Amino acid sequence: MTSTTVKGAPVRAIGTKHVRVEGRDKVTGKARYAGEVPFAQLAHGWLVLSCAARGRIEAIETEPVLAMPGVLAVLHHGNAPRLHTDFVGMLGTRPDPTCAVFQNDQVPHVGWPVALVVAETPEQAREAAEALVVHYEHQPHDVEFTAGDPNAYPVDGHMPAVTDKGDLESELAASAFVIDAEYTTPEEHHHPMEPHAATARWDDGRLELTDSNQGATWVVAELANLFSLDPESVRVRSEHVGGGFGSKGVRAHQVAAVMAATVLQRPVRVVLTRRQMFTLAGHRSPTIQRVRLGADPDGRLRALDHRALSRTSTVYDFVEPSAGVARVMYDADAHHTENQVVRLDVPSPTWMRAPGEAPGSFALEAALDELAEKCGVDPIALRLRNEPDKGPVSGLPFASRNLRACFEEGARRFGWAERDPRPGVRRDGRWLLGTGTAGASFGAGAAPSTATITAEADGGFTVSISAADIGTGARTALTLVAADALDVPTRRIRVRLGDSAYGPAMIAGGSMGTRSWSWAVMAAAAELRERLVPGMEIPPQGITVRSDTTEAIAALARKERHSFGAQFAEVAVDTATGEVRVRRMLGIFAAGRIVNPLTAKGQFTGGMIWGISMALHEEARRDSVYGGPIGADLAGYHVATHADVPHIDADWVDDPDPEDPVGIKGIGEIGIVGAAAAVANAVWHATGVRHRSLPIRPDRVLTAGRLA
């Protein structure tokens, strides 16, 4: 036995720059991702996706495929295990039927999973899957997303579909200035670096899944419900994840792998191809948003009306809540927001990179910029003039709201005071130059989580929590939190995560992961410190405590809890080609206490780069005839690359949350919010032409005119 102490750390870890604790493993290849973990007798599954845009399966010619080398099975609606789908999942929603594969002969869209071919090698599985002949009864389909669709209807989702106060039409009529404009954003896709992959196997009556996901607890709950299993008999491991962005929940490939492992009684791995991810990994719906603003001569809002339409599938209602951001950012005497959807023959959308706030902030912040121009008021002054003192819709107090500090610090560092407000007057040779700004907000929530900490006989401490590090640096952040909570150097902390065996915990999503997990770690550390006394002997098995934050989080007072930010961009527009180049960006954020400045800066700037990509590049199009995506690969779907990323900087103002044990809010998504609007507003300032549809492609710039 060894004695230990929890005293003596001379330097606080939280707030200091720290390289990723698993960094060496990742750059040397020691870190294994879901598709790389070895298994004995591993079989490989390959999904077969429908080429019909809508209809039903008439027949599947399995016999020729089953005779091909190495083929072990072909699963389809005629022979697959039956699933239970009538339940509400961990996140308060019913499962998307796309994940409940092979349950009937219906085909609701192109890319619907119709079969899984399993073989000894991935090459054999792919060859056989591509040889499988499926006969369809084709039915008329519709993938056209248009404004004014008579079949649109409101959907609550994770917030009420509609909020309303005051007499909107009267306030608009009484306004000195009115903006009434439509803004559109296209279909966008996640595309994390690591494709979706899962390996399922049964071990002595227990289901084990090695997966790439954003929350092992989430996947356990969904699989247990789908397969009518005791959750205690399901274990999910997801140690390293190469990006998620909202797409890595429970999807068709995991369910298909479990089905195949059940039938064959051997491990089965299913990995999605990049092309398959365009239909099976979810996406951000396109949006059509109408914003109406009415203001007094000085720019004070009398009326704010934000209505957003998004697209969902015919099998599952998912709403992109774009109008939700208006419920937080600005108040008005009359205030109306509404989120509607229309069902089309397309795959189901899902959460993606600040769902709702990212496209919603483009419309709202562009409209605010248009109002500032019309009123003759500086864009920052207009926003600060309409700062609410409580939630514009909820009426609740803000836990903290430091948006003003973000704008003031950002304006100082960006040189906003020297800006000539007139559009189209600055030039650099053939380039027109402009600057723009936008505000940002994203919810700062917390969810119940559990964690265990073991004081080891060697003097170290092992933290075990089923958190998911999807590339954000969660391991490192939790290492710093635990070190401070236990008052020991970081070298004495070992963090284990990504395993459902560690107990329930919040997923990596909604910018709530680090806050939720840190709360649980702090609680466990506090209890452990009470049990340990200086000089006590630690037994070989260690001393372990377990925390559960359910009661603490439930006791939080009802308040508006958000991170805030101010985005600034300078662009150059080529008068000959219409090309838009972002020359520099600055984001200043009020996002709680920053645990690790090194990875936090990467999170903020990464989000801002997403914003550049959203503003200038990302756009998925669907062919109305065959119903599927055009150019379903990273050659046809453009994203920002190194050549598109300018001098970009992010920083923050002091903004600890006094009701959080660490002071954390959340930084995962705030970086993208407002970024596209800042770029679009800068393009207007450069050219004098408003672009209300993203992305701002060169052809759109040229056809818009005024590039003399």
Side-chain angles (χ1 to χ4, degrees), residues 535-548:
M536 76 177 294
E537 295 293 318
I538 303 298
Q541 70 273 20
I543 297 175
T544 299
V545 299
R546 181 177 184 272
S547 67
D548 186 337

Side-chain angles (χ1 to χ4, degrees), residues 296-626:
D296 287 336
D298 64 355
R300 190 189 69 83
L301 288 173
R302 299 178 65 103
L304 191 159
D305 182 22
H306 190 167
R307 302 173 192 236
L309 177 67
S310 61
R311 183 189 72 189
T312 192
S313 70
T314 60
V315 298
Y316 183 68
D317 275 353
F318 181 89
V319 60
E320 181 77 21
S322 302
V325 69
R327 302 173 186 180
V328 175
M329 289 299 287
Y330 309 107
D331 201 0
D333 299 321
H335 200 289
H336 180 90
T337 63
E338 187 168 347
N339 292 307
Q340 291 192 334
V341 300
V342 60
R343 288 181 174 178
L344 294 171
D345 302 311
V346 298
S348 302
T350 191
W351 298 282
M352 177 179 171
R353 308 179 194 165
E357 280 84 354
S361 65
F362 163 64
L364 180 64
E365 294 295 318
L368 261 291
D369 214 63
E370 294 200 45
L371 181 63
E373 176 198 356
K374 208 165 190 178
C375 295
V377 177
D378 177 81
I380 294 178
L382 181 87
R383 287 166 170 83
L384 297 183
R385 197 163 293 168
N386 287 286
E387 271 280 272
D389 57 5
K390 60 185 178 180
V393 171
S394 69
L396 295 173
F398 287 100
S400 65
R401 183 183 173 100
N402 287 329
L403 180 59
R404 178 180 295 274
C406 294
F407 269 118
E408 290 174 348
E409 175 65 10
R412 182 187 67 80
R413 291 174 55 168
F414 194 75
W416 189 263
E418 289 75 46
R419 177 183 189 258
D420 187 332
R422 296 173 299 164
V425 298
R426 288 181 59 210
R427 297 186 71 102
D428 179 8
R430 73 176 192 272
W431 299 90
L432 289 168
L433 306 181
T435 53
T437 190
S441 74
F442 197 84
S449 298
T450 62
T452 61
I453 302 181
T454 301
E456 306 286 3
D458 64 2
F461 295 86
T462 300
V463 178
S464 301
I465 184 168
S466 56
D469 190 335
I470 60 174
T472 55
R475 276 184 186 81
T476 310
L478 294 177
T479 298
L480 304 186
V481 169
D484 278 4
L486 293 167
D487 204 7
V488 299
T490 56
R491 65 177 181 274
R492 291 174 61 184
I493 303 295
R494 294 184 288 265
V495 173
R496 302 187 304 177
L497 44 70
D499 190 333
S500 64
Y502 300 151
M506 175 57 186
I507 67 168
S511 295
M512 294 194 290
T514 300
R515 179 175 185 175
S516 302
W517 307 324
S518 296
W519 201 319
V521 169
M522 292 285 287
E527 183 177 344
L528 182 59
R529 293 188 67 168
E530 289 183 359
R531 293 183 57 180
L532 298 178
V533 295
M536 76 177 294
E537 295 293 318
I538 303 298
Q541 70 273 20
I543 297 175
T544 299
V545 299
R546 181 177 184 272
S547 67
D548 186 337
T549 62
T550 301
E551 290 186 7
I553 289 174
L556 281 172
R558 291 187 63 225
K559 293 182 180 179
E560 289 276 3
R561 303 179 189 277
H562 306 273
S563 294
F564 292 94
Q567 303 272 16
F568 296 83
E570 179 179 14
V571 304
V573 182
D574 191 321
T575 57
T577 67
E579 178 187 8
V580 178
R581 285 280 183 180
V582 178
R583 290 195 166 184
R584 60 187 176 112
M585 283 194 77
L586 171 67
I588 302 293
F589 302 96
R593 189 178 182 191
I594 302 301
V595 176
N596 184 0
L598 190 63
T599 52
K601 192 159 190 172
Q603 281 280 87
F604 288 133
T605 56
M608 293 164 69
I609 293 166
W610 279 341
I612 295 172
S613 200
M614 181 180 183
L616 303 180
H617 303 286
E618 293 190 52
E619 181 180 28
R621 304 289 293 275
R622 289 192 172 267
D623 185 283
S624 61
V625 176
Y626 95 94

Side-chain angles (χ1 to χ4, degrees), residues 19 110 169 190 251 484 538 547 551 666 701:
V19 297
V110 165
E169 299 305 326
H190 305 80
R251 305 235 165 257
D484 278 4
I538 303 298
S547 67
E551 290 186 7
V701 174

